[in-house]
Amino acid sequence: MDISVARTFLEVVKTGSFVSAAANLNLTQTAVSARIRVLEDQLDRPVFIRNKAGAKLTPAGEQFLRFATTLVQVWARAQRAVALPPGRETVVTVGAELSLWSPLLRHWLLWMRRECPEIAVSTQIDASERLMEQVQEGSLDVAVLYAAPSRPGVIAELLFEEKLVLVRTTPTSAPLAPEDHVQIDWGEEFAASYQAAFPDQPNAVVSIGYGPLALDYILATGGSGYFRKGFVRSYLEEGRLALVPGSPEFSYSAYVVHSTKADPGVMDRIRAGLRAAAAIAA
């Protein structure tokens, strides 16, 4: 299939209009209609219902949407691989959840630059579900994430075992009110475990989806929250934070996820770098 046809299809889906898609792609409406007609001929199914309000996907169009997205992503990846920077043998695409970038992926990028200068690197941040989909589709080589559900054609390897611990600001003699506890989004599994451990805890006044931001907040205002033990270790050693005695700890391990079709040689180097980075970040 001509990739331009898939791109045109996706633009019509995004804008909901042949006219708007034509304007965004710098094409005539006739050209957009012709491309969609070619697609429908190849699929032997209509993909859009056209009306005065614009264009709406048919059931066949809904099914094709996922494949069109994959086609465009894989083509873009192929273009990057072919157009390698000078002196590079290959390019790897790596994604991670936001909370894993600092410091783990920062250490990994430095390790790759030092130990594997022949490999070009493309990185991105996304939600775990989307990262898993991209690995499965083949548009992403490797993902580093905390939750690694089983997927066909995907291998998940334990990178490091982490604990979420309850910490509070110091001095510990200063009392904290229930509203001083900050709820941090560590995923559905943690939320369920937390609710089971603290069934009478009221809803948090402040909820933050990013651990480092939550830490900055409680250090500035005083408070408590669950954080990755490795991330707050230096603050515990400095005495700026203290563990809350008797509080439960929750498992929060990170995984390296890649396709079963990934190049073993390249994966060995990526894996070695990630393990080295995890050792530094621990």
Side-chain angles (χ1 to χ4, degrees):
M1 172 183 288
D2 186 344
I3 294 298
S4 64
V5 172
R7 286 201 178 103
T8 302
F9 169 82
L10 291 173
E11 193 63 33
V12 175
V13 172
K14 184 177 77 174
T15 62
S17 163
F18 279 53
V19 174
S20 298
N24 290 351
L25 295 170
N26 293 317
L27 297 171
T28 65
Q29 187 178 345
T30 301
V32 169
S33 297
R35 288 183 180 182
I36 298 302
R37 191 159 50 249
V38 167
L39 174 62
E40 291 178 328
D41 288 343
Q42 291 175 334
L43 295 175
D44 195 27
R45 295 286 189 282
V47 293
F48 289 110
I49 299 172
R50 303 156 177 83
N51 53 43
K52 291 181 179 179
K56 180 181 177 182
L57 285 170
T58 64
E62 293 278 4
Q63 290 295 318
F64 181 69
L65 177 58
R66 178 166 57 91
F67 295 100
T69 302
T70 301
L71 281 169
V72 172
Q73 289 174 337
V74 172
W75 177 249
R77 182 180 165 194
Q79 287 178 308
R80 289 195 300 269
V82 171
L84 285 172
R88 300 301 188 269
E89 295 177 1
T90 188
V91 60
V92 295
T93 56
V94 178
E97 293 183 70
L98 178 61
S99 59
L100 275 162
W101 275 106
S102 181
L104 176 67
L105 268 295
R106 174 165 51 84
H107 289 314
W108 176 77
L109 284 171
L110 295 173
W111 188 94
M112 290 293 292
R113 181 182 177 86
R114 183 178 66 251
E115 302 293 338
C116 301
E118 73 281 6
I119 297 179
V121 177
S122 175
T123 63
Q124 69 179 67
I125 296 172
D126 213 329
S128 60
E129 184 67 22
R130 183 64 192 133
L131 291 170
M132 285 291 291
E133 289 177 1
Q134 289 178 305
V135 171
Q136 197 171 22
E137 293 166 354
S139 58
L140 196 64
D141 290 311
V142 178
V144 185
L145 37 81
Y146 284 113
S150 178
R151 294 282 184 88
V154 173
I155 296 173
E157 303 175 24
L158 179 66
L159 179 58
F160 62 82
E161 292 185 287
E162 181 71 283
K163 294 290 186 182
L164 292 173
V165 296
L166 182 60
V167 299
R168 58 153 294 162
T169 48
T170 55
T172 55
S173 57
L176 292 178
E179 58 264 27
D180 293 323
H181 179 79
V182 175
Q183 190 71 32
I184 303 164
D185 183 9
W186 296 113
E188 294 181 3
E189 186 175 337
F190 167 76
S193 298
Y194 179 86
Q195 180 63 33
F198 301 96
D200 300 323
Q201 182 79 8
N203 290 336
V205 174
V206 177
S207 298
I208 300 177
Y210 183 42
L213 175 59
L215 180 59
D216 288 344
Y217 176 80
I218 70 165
L219 287 173
T221 64
S224 63
Y226 268 93
F227 294 90
R228 291 184 289 117
K229 192 171 187 177
F231 180 67
V232 297
R233 182 174 289 112
S234 63
Y235 296 90
L236 293 169
E237 292 170 351
E238 293 169 5
R240 299 179 67 188
L241 294 175
L243 290 170
V244 176
S247 58
E249 297 182 351
F250 302 100
S251 177
Y252 201 65
S253 299
Y255 296 85
V256 180
V257 179
H258 61 88
S259 168
T260 55
K261 299 177 181 179
D263 183 304
V266 173
M267 272 307 307
D268 284 344
R269 284 178 280 180
I270 294 173
R271 189 184 293 108
L274 286 170
R275 296 203 182 284
I280 296 171

